[in-house]
Amino acid sequence: MEYQTIALSREGPVAVLTLNRPEALNAMNSAMARDLTQALESLSKDDSVRCLVITGSGKGFCAGADIREMAGMSSTEVARAGSLLSIWETVGKYPKPIVAALSGFALGGGLELAMCCDIILAAQGTKLGQPEINIGIIPGGGGTQRLTRAVGRYKAMEMILTGSSITADEAASAGLVSRVVPAGQHLQEAMKIAQTIASKAPIAVRLAKQAVSSAEEGTLPDGLKHEKQLFLLLFSTKDKEEGMKAFLEKRPPVFTGE
Ligand code: DAK
């Protein structure tokens, strides 16, 4: 399938989605949200895809939702905006692991998109922020919740109330990115992580993502109960048998996703 606003490529079990509106710093408009939604849907059905990477073309990852498009929209129109309304939730609930590879700018809806992913790598020089307050709105793609969970109330308040951005190094020390990598190496490093994840037992990867995600959703006892259930489930998979047998036989495992 041909997409207008994103590029989709494959490297073995890893799919790379590149936000591709460099003339607008990859700002998320309705067309991009639609393209991303369709691509994510088709990749979710493809068992040969084990991990995804999301990155941006040109000068950066994504400078947020498209202000040019939003400027003319009423609240009713935004509330009925289809993919543009739901893309952050779609990424946030995605069953396969997603690595975000940031460079340049990850602002507003762009940072919110990154925060919906599971691992965030930022190239040295990336600016991260929630500047919505500068244009008279607040984050609408989960920023007030996910940023607060990631960096705590006080750092989140400073970023959201002032609209000022932080550097990749500041983001890493605040726990907002997994790792800072040298400028220009974000995609390469993200691919290494994605290929490593893709080499693991697929059901275990999926359940690990579910278990970690549930740490943010309920109480600790609920999360521990959920983890135990998922853990026990894995003891009925062929990949668990293979993984442990391979270890004892001192050879690499061959996982089949069963
Ligand atoms: N939207 C549209 N165009 C954008 C854009 C954006 N967010 N950001 C940049 N551009 C465009 C610029 O207009 C410019 O286009 P031309 O003038 O060349 O036609 C081009 O990209 C290059 O930008 P600059 O010339 O400004 O480049 P600089 O390097 O000087 O500055 C910048 C880069 C990133 C600091 C600056 O462009 C900037 O401040 N951009 C706006 C950042 C921002 O405010 N982002 C937050 C947008 S609000 C929702 C969920 C989420 C959201 C909304 C709803 N629902 C679920 C309903 C999210 C909202 C937002 O993200």
Side-chain angles (χ1 to χ4, degrees):
M1 172 136 189
E2 278 293 305
Y3 298 106
Q4 303 293 313
T5 62
I6 62 168
L8 171 59
S9 62
R10 278 289 293 272
E11 229 175 78
V14 176
V16 182
L17 289 162
T18 305
L19 308 181
N20 196 22
R21 298 184 66 222
E23 70 288 353
L25 300 180
N26 301 320
M28 178 79 70
N29 62 4
S30 299
M32 185 186 274
R34 211 176 308 120
D35 282 350
L36 256 187
T37 304
Q38 279 173 12
L40 287 166
E41 207 179 304
S42 74
L43 294 171
S44 75
K45 291 182 198 142
D46 183 343
D47 284 342
S48 68
V49 174
R50 303 269 176 93
C51 188
L52 276 61
V53 170
I54 299 187
T55 193
S57 66
K59 269 172 67 182
F61 180 67
C62 173
D66 192 307
I67 302 171
R68 217 172 287 278
E69 184 179 66
M70 278 190 305
M73 289 171 100
S74 66
S75 49
T76 322
E77 282 166 326
V78 177
R80 290 186 186 146
S83 302
L84 187 61
L85 190 70
S86 58
I87 184 61
W88 289 271
E89 208 182 327
T90 302
V91 177
K93 288 188 173 160
Y94 204 65
K96 299 185 188 195
I98 309 182
V99 182
L102 314 185
S103 65
F105 301 101
L107 299 174
L111 178 56
E112 289 173 314
L113 185 68
M115 289 192 291
C116 291
C117 298
D118 304 302
I119 293 173
I120 307 179
L121 292 193
Q124 202 61 254
T126 307
K127 290 194 173 107
L128 303 92
Q130 298 284 171
E132 290 88 342
I133 203 88
N134 298 333
I135 54 168
I137 58 172
I138 65 168
T144 61
Q145 306 305 301
R146 291 199 175 92
L147 184 65
T148 307
R149 280 169 166 78
V151 305
R153 173 186 167 96
Y154 306 105
K155 189 88 197 154
M157 281 290 191
E158 185 182 348
M159 290 172 69
I160 290 169
L161 297 180
T162 67
S164 49
S165 53
I166 60 174
T167 65
D169 285 328
E170 285 168 325
S173 54
L176 178 56
V177 303
S178 318
R179 192 155 27 104
V180 180
V181 298
Q185 289 183 25
H186 52 292
L187 184 54
Q188 190 185 320
E189 290 298 317
M191 289 305 285
K192 280 191 211 160
I193 296 182
Q195 292 290 359
T196 300
I197 295 170
S199 73
K200 309 297 179 192
I203 306 176
V205 165
R206 204 173 272 226
L207 299 194
K209 171 167 172 163
Q210 259 186 46
V212 175
S213 301
S214 70
E216 290 174 334
E217 284 154 15
T219 62
L220 181 61
D222 285 347
L224 292 172
K225 203 163 130 195
H226 189 215
E227 182 195 78
K228 188 68 54 58
Q229 286 163 349
L230 299 177
F231 177 83
L232 293 176
L233 204 63
L234 285 166
F235 272 69
S236 60
T237 63
K238 286 192 181 151
D239 280 346
K240 170 261 168 187
E241 273 175 40
E242 166 62 8
M244 294 194 183
K245 197 160 169 260
F247 175 80
L248 295 172
E249 292 171 358
K250 299 187 187 302
R251 61 170 175 82
V254 181
F255 293 124
T256 58
E258 294 163 279

